[in-house]
Amino acid sequence: MPECEPIFAESAITLTIQDQAAGEYLKVCTGKDSDAILIDPAEWPQLREAIDSMMAEIAKHERKL
């Protein structure tokens, strides 16, 4: 979350480790718990690569502005 925001702010992101009986996952929550996603550790390398690629695209577009 931004430094000036309280811990309960809607912009806060919470990371927790969850055990779903089929192994552990990373749970990423923004705001309400209903906005949560679960990330399987085995899927992380591909997900991170995709996120890095998309962030690079955003940076490219911002340089053009």
Side-chain angles (χ1 to χ4, degrees):
M1 78 189 119
E3 287 184 29
C4 60
E5 294 290 326
I7 195 164
F8 52 83
E10 288 187 24
S11 60
I13 297 172
T14 305
L15 303 174
T16 56
I17 296 172
Q18 299 286 305
D19 187 349
Q20 299 290 322
E24 294 181 328
Y25 293 84
L26 175 65
K27 183 177 182 179
V28 182
C29 297
T30 57
K32 300 176 186 172
D33 223 17
S34 62
D35 295 336
I37 61 169
L38 296 176
I39 301 171
D40 183 323
E43 297 170 346
W44 175 244
Q46 294 152 325
L47 179 58
R48 182 176 179 170
E49 184 178 327
I51 291 170
D52 287 343
S53 176
M54 297 303 283
M55 290 299 210
E57 287 296 316
I58 290 170
K60 243 194 300 188
H61 292 166
E62 288 180 347
R63 284 193 297 267
K64 291 180 182 179
L65 297 177

Coordinates of all heavy atoms in Angstrom, one line a residue:
M1 N 0.8 -1.2 0.0 CA 0.0 0.0 0.0 C 0.9 1.2 0.0 O 2.0 1.2 0.4 CB -0.9 0.0 1.2 CG -0.2 0.4 2.5 SD -1.3 0.1 3.9 CE -0.2 -1.0 4.8
P2 N 0.4 2.3 -0.5 CA 1.1 3.6 -0.4 C 1.5 3.9 1.1 O 0.7 3.7 2.0 CB 0.2 4.6 -1.0 CG -0.7 3.8 -1.9 CD -0.9 2.5 -1.2
E3 N 2.6 4.5 1.3 CA 3.1 4.8 2.6 C 2.1 5.7 3.4 O 2.0 5.6 4.6 CB 4.4 5.5 2.6 CG 5.5 4.5 2.3 CD 6.9 5.2 2.3 OE1 7.1 6.1 3.1 OE2 7.8 4.8 1.6
C4 N 1.4 6.6 2.7 CA 0.5 7.5 3.4 C -0.9 6.9 3.7 O -1.7 7.6 4.4 CB 0.4 8.8 2.6 SG -0.3 8.5 1.0
E5 N -1.1 5.7 3.3 CA -2.4 5.1 3.5 C -2.4 4.2 4.7 O -1.5 3.6 5.0 CB -2.8 4.3 2.3 CG -3.0 5.1 1.0 CD -4.3 5.9 1.0 OE1 -5.3 5.5 1.6 OE2 -4.2 7.0 0.4
P6 N -3.6 4.1 5.4 CA -3.7 3.2 6.5 C -3.7 1.8 6.0 O -4.1 1.5 4.9 CB -5.0 3.6 7.2 CG -5.8 4.3 6.1 CD -4.8 4.9 5.2
I7 N -3.4 0.8 6.9 CA -3.3 -0.6 6.6 C -4.7 -1.1 6.1 O -4.7 -2.1 5.3 CB -2.8 -1.4 7.8 CG1 -2.4 -2.8 7.3 CG2 -3.9 -1.5 8.9 CD1 -1.6 -3.5 8.4
F8 N -5.8 -0.5 6.4 CA -7.1 -1.0 6.0 C -7.6 -0.3 4.7 O -8.7 -0.5 4.3 CB -8.1 -0.9 7.1 CG -8.2 0.5 7.7 CD1 -8.9 1.5 7.1 CD2 -7.4 0.8 8.9 CE1 -8.9 2.8 7.7 CE2 -7.5 2.1 9.4 CZ -8.2 3.1 8.8
A9 N -6.8 0.5 4.1 CA -7.2 1.2 2.9 C -7.5 0.2 1.8 O -7.0 -0.9 1.7 CB -6.0 2.1 2.4
E10 N -8.4 0.7 0.9 CA -8.8 -0.2 -0.3 C -7.7 -0.4 -1.2 O -7.7 -1.4 -1.9 CB -10.0 0.5 -1.0 CG -11.3 0.4 -0.2 CD -12.5 0.9 -1.1 OE1 -12.4 0.9 -2.3 OE2 -13.5 1.3 -0.5
S11 N -6.7 0.4 -1.2 CA -5.5 0.3 -2.1 C -4.5 -0.7 -1.5 O -3.5 -1.1 -2.2 CB -4.8 1.6 -2.4 OG -4.4 2.2 -1.2
A12 N -4.7 -1.2 -0.3 CA -3.8 -2.1 0.3 C -3.9 -3.5 -0.4 O -4.9 -4.0 -0.8 CB -4.1 -2.3 1.8
I13 N -2.7 -4.1 -0.5 CA -2.6 -5.5 -1.1 C -2.1 -6.4 0.0 O -1.1 -6.1 0.6 CB -1.7 -5.6 -2.3 CG1 -2.3 -4.7 -3.4 CG2 -1.5 -7.0 -2.8 CD1 -1.4 -4.6 -4.6
T14 N -2.8 -7.5 0.3 CA -2.4 -8.4 1.3 C -2.0 -9.7 0.7 O -2.7 -10.3 -0.2 CB -3.6 -8.7 2.3 OG1 -4.1 -7.5 2.8 CG2 -3.2 -9.6 3.4
L15 N -0.8 -10.3 1.1 CA -0.3 -11.5 0.6 C -0.3 -12.5 1.8 O 0.2 -12.2 2.8 CB 1.1 -11.4 0.1 CG 1.3 -10.4 -1.0 CD1 2.8 -10.2 -1.3 CD2 0.5 -10.8 -2.3
T16 N -0.9 -13.7 1.6 CA -0.9 -14.7 2.6 C -0.7 -16.1 1.9 O -0.9 -16.3 0.7 CB -2.2 -14.8 3.4 OG1 -3.3 -15.0 2.5 CG2 -2.5 -13.6 4.2
I17 N -0.2 -17.1 2.7 CA 0.0 -18.4 2.2 C -1.2 -19.2 2.6 O -1.6 -19.2 3.8 CB 1.3 -19.1 2.7 CG1 2.5 -18.3 2.1 CG2 1.3 -20.5 2.3 CD1 3.8 -18.7 2.7
Q18 N -1.9 -19.8 1.7 CA -3.1 -20.6 2.0 C -2.9 -22.1 1.6 O -2.2 -22.4 0.7 CB -4.3 -20.1 1.1 CG -4.7 -18.7 1.4 CD -5.4 -18.5 2.7 OE1 -6.4 -19.2 2.9 NE2 -4.9 -17.7 3.5
D19 N -3.4 -23.0 2.5 CA -3.3 -24.4 2.2 C -4.7 -24.8 1.8 O -5.7 -24.8 2.6 CB -2.9 -25.2 3.4 CG -2.6 -26.6 3.1 OD1 -3.0 -27.1 2.0 OD2 -2.0 -27.3 4.0
Q20 N -4.9 -25.2 0.5 CA -6.2 -25.6 0.0 C -6.3 -27.1 -0.1 O -7.0 -27.7 -0.9 CB -6.4 -25.0 -1.4 CG -6.4 -23.5 -1.4 CD -7.6 -22.9 -0.8 OE1 -8.7 -23.5 -0.9 NE2 -7.4 -21.8 0.0
A21 N -5.7 -27.9 0.8 CA -5.7 -29.3 0.9 C -5.0 -30.0 -0.3 O -4.8 -31.2 -0.3 CB -7.1 -29.9 1.1
A22 N -4.7 -29.2 -1.3 CA -4.0 -29.8 -2.5 C -2.6 -29.1 -2.6 O -2.0 -29.1 -3.7 CB -4.8 -29.5 -3.8
G23 N -2.2 -28.5 -1.5 CA -0.9 -27.8 -1.5 C -1.1 -26.4 -1.2 O -2.2 -25.9 -1.1
E24 N 0.0 -25.7 -1.0 CA 0.0 -24.3 -0.7 C -0.1 -23.4 -1.9 O 0.4 -23.7 -2.9 CB 1.2 -23.9 0.2 CG 1.2 -24.6 1.5 CD 2.4 -24.2 2.4 OE1 3.4 -24.0 1.9 OE2 2.2 -24.2 3.6
Y25 N -0.8 -22.3 -1.7 CA -0.9 -21.3 -2.7 C -0.6 -19.9 -2.1 O -0.8 -19.7 -0.9 CB -2.4 -21.2 -3.3 CG -2.8 -22.5 -4.0 CD1 -3.2 -23.6 -3.4 CD2 -2.7 -22.5 -5.4 CE1 -3.6 -24.7 -4.0 CE2 -3.1 -23.6 -6.1 CZ -3.5 -24.7 -5.4 OH -3.9 -25.8 -6.1
L26 N -0.2 -19.0 -3.0 CA -0.1 -17.6 -2.6 C -1.5 -16.9 -2.8 O -2.0 -17.0 -3.9 CB 1.0 -16.8 -3.4 CG 1.1 -15.4 -3.1 CD1 1.5 -15.1 -1.6 CD2 2.1 -14.7 -4.0
K27 N -2.0 -16.3 -1.8 CA -3.3 -15.6 -1.9 C -3.0 -14.1 -2.0 O -2.4 -13.6 -1.1 CB -4.2 -15.9 -0.7 CG -5.6 -15.3 -0.8 CD -6.5 -15.8 0.3 CE -7.9 -15.2 0.3 NZ -8.7 -15.7 1.4
V28 N -3.5 -13.5 -3.0 CA -3.3 -12.0 -3.2 C -4.7 -11.4 -3.1 O -5.6 -11.7 -3.9 CB -2.7 -11.7 -4.6 CG1 -2.5 -10.2 -4.8 CG2 -1.4 -12.5 -4.8
C29 N -4.8 -10.5 -2.1 CA -6.1 -9.8 -1.9 C -6.0 -8.3 -2.1 O -5.0 -7.7 -1.6 CB -6.6 -10.1 -0.5 SG -7.0 -11.8 -0.1
T30 N -6.9 -7.7 -2.8 CA -7.0 -6.3 -2.9 C -8.4 -5.9 -2.3 O -9.4 -6.3 -2.8 CB -6.8 -5.8 -4.3 OG1 -7.8 -6.4 -5.1 CG2 -5.5 -6.1 -4.8
G31 N -8.4 -5.0 -1.3 CA -9.7 -4.6 -0.8 C -10.4 -5.8 -0.1 O -9.9 -6.3 0.9
K32 N -11.5 -6.2 -0.7 CA -12.3 -7.2 -0.1 C -11.7 -8.6 -0.4 O -11.1 -8.8 -1.4 CB -13.7 -7.2 -0.7 CG -14.4 -5.9 -0.4 CD -15.8 -5.8 -1.1 CE -16.4 -4.5 -0.9 NZ -17.6 -4.4 -1.7
D33 N -12.0 -9.6 0.4 CA -11.6 -11.0 0.2 C -12.1 -11.5 -1.1 O -11.5 -12.4 -1.7 CB -12.0 -11.8 1.4 CG -10.9 -12.8 1.8 OD1 -9.7 -12.5 1.4 OD2 -11.2 -13.7 2.5
S34 N -13.3 -11.1 -1.6 CA -13.8 -11.6 -2.8 C -13.0 -11.2 -4.0 O -13.1 -11.8 -5.1 CB -15.3 -11.0 -3.0 OG -15.2 -9.6 -3.1
D35 N -12.1 -10.3 -3.9 CA -11.2 -9.8 -5.0 C -9.9 -10.6 -5.0 O -8.9 -10.2 -5.6 CB -10.8 -8.4 -4.8 CG -12.1 -7.5 -5.0 OD1 -13.0 -7.9 -5.6 OD2 -12.0 -6.3 -4.5
A36 N -9.8 -11.7 -4.2 CA -8.6 -12.5 -4.1 C -8.3 -13.4 -5.3 O -9.3 -13.9 -5.9 CB -8.7 -13.4 -2.8
I37 N -7.0 -13.6 -5.5 CA -6.6 -14.7 -6.5 C -5.6 -15.6 -5.8 O -4.9 -15.2 -4.9 CB -6.0 -14.1 -7.8 CG1 -4.7 -13.3 -7.4 CG2 -7.0 -13.2 -8.5 CD1 -3.9 -12.9 -8.6
L38 N -5.6 -16.9 -6.2 CA -4.7 -17.8 -5.7 C -3.7 -18.2 -6.8 O -4.1 -18.4 -7.9 CB -5.4 -19.1 -5.2 CG -6.4 -19.0 -4.1 CD1 -7.2 -20.3 -3.9 CD2 -5.8 -18.5 -2.8
I39 N -2.4 -18.2 -6.4 CA -1.4 -18.5 -7.3 C -0.7 -19.7 -6.9 O -0.1 -19.8 -5.8 CB -0.4 -17.3 -7.4 CG1 -1.1 -16.0 -7.9 CG2 0.8 -17.7 -8.4 CD1 -0.2 -14.8 -7.8
D40 N -0.7 -20.7 -7.8 CA 0.0 -22.0 -7.6 C 1.5 -21.7 -7.8 O 1.9 -21.2 -8.8 CB -0.5 -23.0 -8.6 CG 0.1 -24.4 -8.4 OD1 1.3 -24.5 -8.1 OD2 -0.6 -25.4 -8.5
P41 N 2.4 -22.1 -6.9 CA 3.8 -21.9 -7.0 C 4.4 -22.5 -8.4 O 5.3 -21.9 -9.0 CB 4.5 -22.6 -5.9 CG 3.4 -22.7 -4.8 CD 2.1 -22.8 -5.6
A42 N 3.8 -23.6 -8.9 CA 4.3 -24.1 -10.1 C 3.9 -23.2 -11.3 O 4.6 -23.2 -12.3 CB 3.7 -25.5 -10.3
E43 N 2.9 -22.4 -11.2 CA 2.5 -21.5 -12.3 C 3.2 -20.1 -12.2 O 3.1 -19.3 -13.1 CB 1.0 -21.2 -12.2 CG 0.2 -22.5 -12.4 CD -1.3 -22.3 -12.1 OE1 -1.7 -21.3 -11.5 OE2 -2.1 -23.2 -12.5
W44 N 3.9 -19.8 -11.1 CA 4.5 -18.5 -10.9 C 5.5 -18.1 -12.0 O 5.4 -17.0 -12.4 CB 5.2 -18.4 -9.5 CG 5.9 -17.1 -9.3 CD1 7.2 -17.0 -9.1 CD2 5.3 -15.8 -9.3 NE1 7.5 -15.6 -9.0 CE2 6.3 -14.9 -9.1 CE3 4.0 -15.3 -9.5 CZ2 6.1 -13.5 -9.1 CZ3 3.8 -14.0 -9.4 CH2 4.9 -13.1 -9.2
P45 N 6.4 -19.0 -12.4 CA 7.4 -18.5 -13.4 C 6.7 -18.0 -14.7 O 7.1 -16.9 -15.2 CB 8.2 -19.7 -13.7 CG 8.1 -20.5 -12.4 CD 6.7 -20.3 -11.9
Q46 N 5.7 -18.7 -15.2 CA 5.0 -18.3 -16.4 C 4.1 -17.0 -16.1 O 4.1 -16.1 -17.0 CB 4.1 -19.4 -16.9 CG 4.9 -20.6 -17.4 CD 4.1 -21.8 -17.3 OE1 3.3 -22.0 -16.3 NE2 4.3 -22.8 -18.2
L47 N 3.5 -16.9 -15.0 CA 2.7 -15.8 -14.6 C 3.6 -14.5 -14.5 O 3.3 -13.5 -15.0 CB 2.0 -16.0 -13.3 CG 1.1 -14.9 -12.8 CD1 0.1 -14.4 -13.8 CD2 0.4 -15.2 -11.5
R48 N 4.8 -14.7 -13.8 CA 5.7 -13.6 -13.7 C 6.2 -13.1 -15.0 O 6.3 -11.9 -15.3 CB 6.9 -14.0 -12.8 CG 7.8 -12.8 -12.6 CD 8.9 -13.2 -11.6 NE 9.8 -12.0 -11.5 CZ 10.7 -11.9 -10.6 NH1 10.9 -12.9 -9.7 NH2 11.5 -10.8 -10.5
E49 N 6.5 -14.0 -15.9 CA 7.0 -13.7 -17.3 C 5.9 -12.9 -18.0 O 6.2 -11.8 -18.6 CB 7.3 -14.9 -18.0 CG 7.9 -14.7 -19.4 CD 8.3 -15.9 -20.2 OE1 8.7 -16.9 -19.5 OE2 8.2 -15.9 -21.4
A50 N 4.7 -13.3 -17.9 CA 3.6 -12.6 -18.5 C 3.4 -11.2 -17.9 O 3.2 -10.2 -18.6 CB 2.3 -13.4 -18.4
I51 N 3.5 -11.1 -16.6 CA 3.4 -9.8 -15.9 C 4.5 -8.9 -16.3 O 4.3 -7.7 -16.7 CB 3.3 -10.0 -14.4 CG1 2.0 -10.6 -14.0 CG2 3.5 -8.6 -13.7 CD1 1.9 -11.1 -12.5
D52 N 5.7 -9.4 -16.3 CA 6.9 -8.6 -16.7 C 6.7 -8.1 -18.2 O 7.0 -6.9 -18.5 CB 8.2 -9.4 -16.6 CG 8.6 -9.6 -15.2 OD1 8.1 -8.8 -14.3 OD2 9.5 -10.4 -14.9
S53 N 6.2 -8.9 -19.0 CA 6.0 -8.5 -20.4 C 5.0 -7.4 -20.6 O 5.1 -6.4 -21.3 CB 5.5 -9.8 -21.2 OG 5.2 -9.4 -22.6
M54 N 3.9 -7.5 -19.8 CA 2.8 -6.5 -19.8 C 3.3 -5.2 -19.2 O 3.0 -4.1 -19.7 CB 1.6 -7.0 -19.1 CG 0.9 -8.2 -19.7 SD 0.5 -8.0 -21.5 CE -1.0 -7.0 -21.3
M55 N 4.1 -5.3 -18.2 CA 4.7 -4.1 -17.6 C 5.6 -3.4 -18.6 O 5.7 -2.1 -18.6 CB 5.4 -4.4 -16.3 CG 4.5 -4.8 -15.2 SD 3.3 -3.4 -14.8 CE 3.0 -3.7 -13.1
A56 N 6.4 -4.1 -19.3 CA 7.3 -3.6 -20.3 C 6.4 -2.9 -21.4 O 6.8 -1.8 -21.9 CB 8.2 -4.7 -21.0
E57 N 5.3 -3.4 -21.8 CA 4.4 -2.8 -22.8 C 3.9 -1.5 -22.3 O 3.8 -0.5 -23.0 CB 3.3 -3.7 -23.2 CG 3.7 -4.9 -24.1 CD 4.2 -4.4 -25.4 OE1 3.6 -3.5 -26.0 OE2 5.2 -4.9 -25.8
I58 N 3.5 -1.4 -21.0 CA 3.0 -0.2 -20.4 C 4.1 0.8 -20.4 O 3.9 2.0 -20.8 CB 2.5 -0.5 -18.9 CG1 1.2 -1.3 -19.0 CG2 2.3 0.9 -18.2 CD1 0.8 -1.8 -17.6
A59 N 5.3 0.5 -20.0 CA 6.4 1.4 -20.0 C 6.7 1.9 -21.4 O 7.0 3.1 -21.6 CB 7.7 0.7 -19.5
K60 N 6.6 1.1 -22.4 CA 6.8 1.5 -23.8 C 5.8 2.5 -24.2 O 6.1 3.6 -24.8 CB 6.7 0.3 -24.8 CG 8.0 0.0 -25.5 CD 7.8 -1.0 -26.7 CE 7.2 -2.3 -26.2 NZ 7.2 -3.3 -27.3
H61 N 4.5 2.3 -23.9 CA 3.4 3.2 -24.2 C 3.6 4.5 -23.5 O 3.3 5.6 -24.1 CB 2.1 2.6 -23.9 CG 1.8 1.4 -24.8 ND1 0.7 0.6 -24.5 CD2 2.3 1.0 -26.0 CE1 0.7 -0.4 -25.5 NE2 1.6 -0.1 -26.4
E62 N 4.0 4.5 -22.2 CA 4.2 5.7 -21.5 C 5.3 6.6 -22.0 O 5.3 7.8 -22.0 CB 4.4 5.4 -20.0 CG 3.2 4.9 -19.3 CD 3.3 4.6 -17.9 OE1 4.5 4.5 -17.4 OE2 2.3 4.4 -17.2
R63 N 6.4 5.9 -22.6 CA 7.5 6.7 -23.2 C 7.1 7.4 -24.4 O 7.6 8.5 -24.7 CB 8.7 5.8 -23.5 CG 9.5 5.4 -22.3 CD 10.8 4.7 -22.7 NE 10.6 3.5 -23.4 CZ 10.6 2.3 -22.9 NH1 10.6 2.1 -21.6 NH2 10.4 1.2 -23.7
K64 N 6.0 6.9 -25.1 CA 5.5 7.5 -26.3 C 4.7 8.7 -26.0 O 4.5 9.6 -26.9 CB 4.7 6.5 -27.2 CG 5.6 5.4 -27.8 CD 4.7 4.5 -28.6 CE 5.5 3.3 -29.1 NZ 4.7 2.4 -29.9
L65 N 4.2 8.8 -24.8 CA 3.3 10.0 -24.5 C 4.0 11.2 -24.3 O 5.0 11.5 -24.0 CB 2.4 9.6 -23.3 CG 1.5 8.5 -23.4 CD1 0.8 8.2 -22.1 CD2 0.5 8.7 -24.5

